[in-house]
Structure formats: C-alpha cells, structure tokens
Amino acid sequence: MKFTAIIVIAPEELEDKVIRHAQQVGATGVTILSGKGIGGESRKTFFGLTFEGTQSVLLMVVGKHLTAPILKELHGILVRGTDSRGLAFAVPIEHLTGIDPQQVQSFEEHLRRGED
C-alpha cells in the first residue's frame, strides 16, 4: 500500500472542523502541532496591542487513494470565495516505518468493507 502525508495549516479555531471532515472521508490518526505564522499581511492591532492568531499544523498519513478526496473536502473549509483561511497539501511517502503490518492489513480490510 502506498501512503501520502497530508499537511494542513489552518487557524486554531478550524482545527476540530478540519479533523472531523478529514476523518469523515477516511483519515484516521492526526498529529497536531501548534504554530505561529509570519505572512505577507501586516499584523492587526487592537487598542495598541498586536494580535497574532495561533495556527495548527495537522499531519495525517493516509493511503494514497484517500489523498484527493480529503483535499477536496478540506478545500470547502479552507477556501471561501477569494478568501483563504489556511492551506493543505500532500507529499508522497516513499519509505515508511513504525506502522505494524497488521495495522496496514486491518486498514485495507476496513477500506474493502467500506467499498462494498
């Protein structure tokens, strides 16, 4: 089975929604990292205080066949018209260790049952 890493960078307030929608399409485990970005836009101030929103970096390792459906699902959350609230991208995984072969077999069986 071939795997892909899907990386999502989104505002912290979208974290749960992104995870829920990715899982509905087939993602299982998610690693969550906290981050702070430096973008091209100037920082917003409120009463003289600088506001810097925190971001979540979500990492999912999924079967290659799930990559496009998950990214399509996340597009609806991250893009509203011309407004972007985050980004998601996929990186193919050439070598992978740390996953028990029985986990892979169980995952494949689960997919076959879901396709029937």
mmCIF file of all heavy atoms in Angstrom, residues 4 7 9-10 15 18 20 30 33 41 43 45 57-59 66 68 70 84 94 101 103 112 114:
data_model
loop_
_atom_site.group_PDB
_atom_site.id
_atom_site.type_symbol
_atom_site.label_atom_id
_atom_site.label_comp_id
_atom_site.label_asym_id
_atom_site.label_seq_id
_atom_site.Cartn_x
_atom_site.Cartn_y
_atom_site.Cartn_z
ATOM 1 N N THR A 4 0.533 8.710 1.696
ATOM 2 C CA THR A 4 0.757 10.121 1.464
ATOM 3 C C THR A 4 0.656 10.848 2.796
ATOM 4 O O THR A 4 -0.156 10.478 3.639
ATOM 5 C CB THR A 4 -0.327 10.691 0.504
ATOM 6 O OG1 THR A 4 -0.284 9.961 -0.716
ATOM 7 C CG2 THR A 4 -0.105 12.148 0.211
ATOM 8 N N ILE A 7 -0.571 17.623 4.907
ATOM 9 C CA ILE A 7 -0.236 18.652 5.879
ATOM 10 C C ILE A 7 -1.238 19.784 5.715
ATOM 11 O O ILE A 7 -1.468 20.270 4.607
ATOM 12 C CB ILE A 7 1.197 19.183 5.676
ATOM 13 C CG1 ILE A 7 2.220 18.050 5.898
ATOM 14 C CG2 ILE A 7 1.500 20.324 6.649
ATOM 15 C CD1 ILE A 7 2.676 17.380 4.690
ATOM 16 N N ILE A 9 -2.328 23.574 7.334
ATOM 17 C CA ILE A 9 -2.009 24.708 8.188
ATOM 18 C C ILE A 9 -3.239 25.596 8.196
ATOM 19 O O ILE A 9 -3.650 26.115 7.157
ATOM 20 C CB ILE A 9 -0.783 25.483 7.668
ATOM 21 C CG1 ILE A 9 0.416 24.541 7.547
ATOM 22 C CG2 ILE A 9 -0.472 26.667 8.584
ATOM 23 C CD1 ILE A 9 1.603 25.124 6.819
ATOM 24 N N ALA A 10 -3.845 25.716 9.374
ATOM 25 C CA ALA A 10 -5.116 26.436 9.479
ATOM 26 C C ALA A 10 -5.198 27.139 10.827
ATOM 27 O O ALA A 10 -4.512 26.759 11.775
ATOM 28 C CB ALA A 10 -6.282 25.466 9.329
ATOM 29 N N GLU A 15 -9.343 23.862 13.699
ATOM 30 C CA GLU A 15 -8.688 22.572 13.937
ATOM 31 C C GLU A 15 -9.680 21.412 14.038
ATOM 32 O O GLU A 15 -9.571 20.419 13.321
ATOM 33 C CB GLU A 15 -7.858 22.672 15.216
ATOM 34 C CG GLU A 15 -7.109 21.435 15.599
ATOM 35 C CD GLU A 15 -6.341 21.658 16.892
ATOM 36 O OE1 GLU A 15 -5.399 22.470 16.890
ATOM 37 O OE2 GLU A 15 -6.696 21.013 17.896
ATOM 38 N N VAL A 18 -11.551 20.712 10.690
ATOM 39 C CA VAL A 18 -10.680 20.071 9.699
ATOM 40 C C VAL A 18 -10.521 18.589 10.026
ATOM 41 O O VAL A 18 -10.662 17.726 9.155
ATOM 42 C CB VAL A 18 -9.297 20.777 9.640
ATOM 43 C CG1 VAL A 18 -8.283 19.931 8.891
ATOM 44 C CG2 VAL A 18 -9.429 22.148 8.990
ATOM 45 N N ARG A 20 -12.479 16.612 11.870
ATOM 46 C CA ARG A 20 -13.758 15.916 11.719
ATOM 47 C C ARG A 20 -14.044 15.608 10.247
ATOM 48 O O ARG A 20 -14.405 14.484 9.888
ATOM 49 C CB ARG A 20 -14.877 16.758 12.341
ATOM 50 C CG ARG A 20 -16.211 16.068 12.437
ATOM 51 C CD ARG A 20 -17.236 16.864 13.220
ATOM 52 N NE ARG A 20 -17.439 18.228 12.726
ATOM 53 C CZ ARG A 20 -17.000 19.339 13.343
ATOM 54 N NH1 ARG A 20 -16.343 19.257 14.471
ATOM 55 N NH2 ARG A 20 -17.226 20.532 12.828
ATOM 56 N N VAL A 30 -4.250 11.743 13.470
ATOM 57 C CA VAL A 30 -3.804 13.090 13.132
ATOM 58 C C VAL A 30 -2.811 13.545 14.192
ATOM 59 O O VAL A 30 -3.065 13.391 15.380
ATOM 60 C CB VAL A 30 -4.987 14.089 13.087
ATOM 61 C CG1 VAL A 30 -4.506 15.497 12.772
ATOM 62 C CG2 VAL A 30 -6.040 13.654 12.099
ATOM 63 N N LEU A 33 0.287 20.008 15.721
ATOM 64 C CA LEU A 33 1.367 20.873 16.178
ATOM 65 C C LEU A 33 0.836 22.295 16.257
ATOM 66 O O LEU A 33 0.003 22.695 15.446
ATOM 67 C CB LEU A 33 2.549 20.828 15.206
ATOM 68 C CG LEU A 33 3.123 19.448 14.897
ATOM 69 C CD1 LEU A 33 4.076 19.519 13.716
ATOM 70 C CD2 LEU A 33 3.830 18.902 16.117
ATOM 71 N N GLU A 41 0.789 39.860 5.126
ATOM 72 C CA GLU A 41 -0.078 40.925 5.599
ATOM 73 C C GLU A 41 0.470 41.529 6.890
ATOM 74 O O GLU A 41 1.124 40.865 7.679
ATOM 75 C CB GLU A 41 -1.485 40.379 5.872
ATOM 76 C CG GLU A 41 -2.166 39.856 4.645
ATOM 77 C CD GLU A 41 -3.544 39.301 4.951
ATOM 78 O OE1 GLU A 41 -4.090 39.602 6.018
ATOM 79 O OE2 GLU A 41 -4.053 38.558 4.110
ATOM 80 N N ARG A 43 0.373 42.961 10.672
ATOM 81 C CA ARG A 43 -0.299 42.463 11.862
ATOM 82 C C ARG A 43 -1.399 43.422 12.284
ATOM 83 O O ARG A 43 -1.275 44.624 12.174
ATOM 84 C CB ARG A 43 0.711 42.299 12.993
ATOM 85 C CG ARG A 43 1.747 41.251 12.680
ATOM 86 C CD ARG A 43 2.661 41.065 13.852
ATOM 87 N NE ARG A 43 3.608 40.009 13.558
ATOM 88 C CZ ARG A 43 4.875 40.056 13.878
ATOM 89 N NH1 ARG A 43 5.363 41.090 14.519
ATOM 90 N NH2 ARG A 43 5.664 39.053 13.577
ATOM 91 N N THR A 45 -3.826 45.315 14.946
ATOM 92 C CA THR A 45 -3.712 45.821 16.309
ATOM 93 C C THR A 45 -5.098 46.141 16.838
ATOM 94 O O THR A 45 -6.018 46.464 16.092
ATOM 95 C CB THR A 45 -2.824 47.079 16.375
ATOM 96 O OG1 THR A 45 -3.380 48.074 15.525
ATOM 97 C CG2 THR A 45 -1.402 46.772 15.933
ATOM 98 N N VAL A 57 -0.915 23.045 12.863
ATOM 99 C CA VAL A 57 -0.332 22.288 11.770
ATOM 100 C C VAL A 57 -0.762 20.848 11.998
ATOM 101 O O VAL A 57 -0.426 20.245 13.017
ATOM 102 C CB VAL A 57 1.204 22.403 11.745
ATOM 103 C CG1 VAL A 57 1.787 21.579 10.600
ATOM 104 C CG2 VAL A 57 1.637 23.859 11.654
ATOM 105 N N LEU A 58 -1.556 20.320 11.080
ATOM 106 C CA LEU A 58 -2.111 18.983 11.212
ATOM 107 C C LEU A 58 -1.416 18.068 10.211
ATOM 108 O O LEU A 58 -1.318 18.396 9.030
ATOM 109 C CB LEU A 58 -3.610 18.996 10.953
ATOM 110 C CG LEU A 58 -4.396 20.035 11.763
ATOM 111 C CD1 LEU A 58 -5.827 20.134 11.266
ATOM 112 C CD2 LEU A 58 -4.369 19.679 13.226
ATOM 113 N N LEU A 59 -0.934 16.944 10.685
ATOM 114 C CA LEU A 59 -0.242 15.983 9.839
ATOM 115 C C LEU A 59 -0.997 14.666 9.861
ATOM 116 O O LEU A 59 -1.257 14.108 10.932
ATOM 117 C CB LEU A 59 1.191 15.770 10.333
ATOM 118 C CG LEU A 59 2.008 14.677 9.660
ATOM 119 C CD1 LEU A 59 2.202 14.971 8.179
ATOM 120 C CD2 LEU A 59 3.346 14.522 10.348
ATOM 121 N N LEU A 66 -6.786 8.024 -0.727
ATOM 122 C CA LEU A 66 -7.614 8.954 0.052
ATOM 123 C C LEU A 66 -7.186 10.406 -0.103
ATOM 124 O O LEU A 66 -7.894 11.315 0.332
ATOM 125 C CB LEU A 66 -7.568 8.582 1.539
ATOM 126 C CG LEU A 66 -8.202 7.253 1.922
ATOM 127 C CD1 LEU A 66 -7.924 6.936 3.381
ATOM 128 C CD2 LEU A 66 -9.693 7.280 1.649
ATOM 129 N N ALA A 68 -6.819 12.718 -2.677
ATOM 130 C CA ALA A 68 -7.677 13.658 -3.417
ATOM 131 C C ALA A 68 -9.018 13.891 -2.722
ATOM 132 O O ALA A 68 -9.443 15.040 -2.582
ATOM 133 C CB ALA A 68 -7.870 13.196 -4.859
ATOM 134 N N ILE A 70 -9.761 13.716 0.461
ATOM 135 C CA ILE A 70 -9.557 14.507 1.684
ATOM 136 C C ILE A 70 -9.259 15.957 1.330
ATOM 137 O O ILE A 70 -9.838 16.886 1.903
ATOM 138 C CB ILE A 70 -8.445 13.898 2.561
ATOM 139 C CG1 ILE A 70 -8.925 12.579 3.168
ATOM 140 C CG2 ILE A 70 -8.021 14.875 3.668
ATOM 141 C CD1 ILE A 70 -7.853 11.803 3.908
ATOM 142 N N SER A 84 -8.880 32.913 1.674
ATOM 143 C CA SER A 84 -8.221 31.683 2.104
ATOM 144 C C SER A 84 -7.997 31.736 3.604
ATOM 145 O O SER A 84 -7.470 32.705 4.128
ATOM 146 C CB SER A 84 -6.877 31.525 1.387
ATOM 147 O OG SER A 84 -6.186 30.416 1.904
ATOM 148 N N GLU A 94 7.742 7.837 0.353
ATOM 149 C CA GLU A 94 8.435 6.761 -0.347
ATOM 150 C C GLU A 94 8.756 5.608 0.597
ATOM 151 O O GLU A 94 8.615 4.447 0.246
ATOM 152 C CB GLU A 94 9.714 7.295 -0.985
ATOM 153 C CG GLU A 94 10.362 6.301 -1.907
ATOM 154 C CD GLU A 94 11.475 6.916 -2.712
ATOM 155 O OE1 GLU A 94 11.382 8.098 -3.059
ATOM 156 O OE2 GLU A 94 12.447 6.200 -2.992
ATOM 157 N N PRO A 101 2.548 -4.099 10.330
ATOM 158 C CA PRO A 101 1.922 -4.659 9.121
ATOM 159 C C PRO A 101 0.463 -5.082 9.346
ATOM 160 O O PRO A 101 -0.349 -5.004 8.434
ATOM 161 C CB PRO A 101 2.807 -5.864 8.778
ATOM 162 C CG PRO A 101 4.130 -5.535 9.382
ATOM 163 C CD PRO A 101 3.831 -4.733 10.622
ATOM 164 N N GLN A 103 -1.618 -3.484 11.200
ATOM 165 C CA GLN A 103 -2.401 -2.253 11.108
ATOM 166 C C GLN A 103 -2.715 -1.936 9.654
ATOM 167 O O GLN A 103 -3.832 -1.539 9.328
ATOM 168 C CB GLN A 103 -1.643 -1.068 11.728
ATOM 169 C CG GLN A 103 -1.584 -1.077 13.230
ATOM 170 C CD GLN A 103 -0.751 0.095 13.732
ATOM 171 O OE1 GLN A 103 0.416 0.230 13.386
ATOM 172 N NE2 GLN A 103 -1.371 0.941 14.531
ATOM 173 N N ARG A 112 -11.926 -2.147 2.137
ATOM 174 C CA ARG A 112 -12.681 -3.062 1.268
ATOM 175 C C ARG A 112 -14.124 -3.195 1.745
ATOM 176 O O ARG A 112 -15.056 -3.201 0.956
ATOM 177 C CB ARG A 112 -12.002 -4.425 1.219
ATOM 178 C CG ARG A 112 -10.844 -4.492 0.241
ATOM 179 C CD ARG A 112 -10.419 -5.920 -0.018
ATOM 180 N NE ARG A 112 -9.790 -6.525 1.127
ATOM 181 C CZ ARG A 112 -8.495 -6.443 1.411
ATOM 182 N NH1 ARG A 112 -7.706 -5.751 0.615
ATOM 183 N NH2 ARG A 112 -7.983 -7.034 2.471
ATOM 184 N N GLY A 114 -15.820 -0.982 3.353
ATOM 185 C CA GLY A 114 -16.488 0.294 3.101
ATOM 186 C C GLY A 114 -16.862 0.488 1.658
ATOM 187 O O GLY A 114 -17.779 1.217 1.332
#
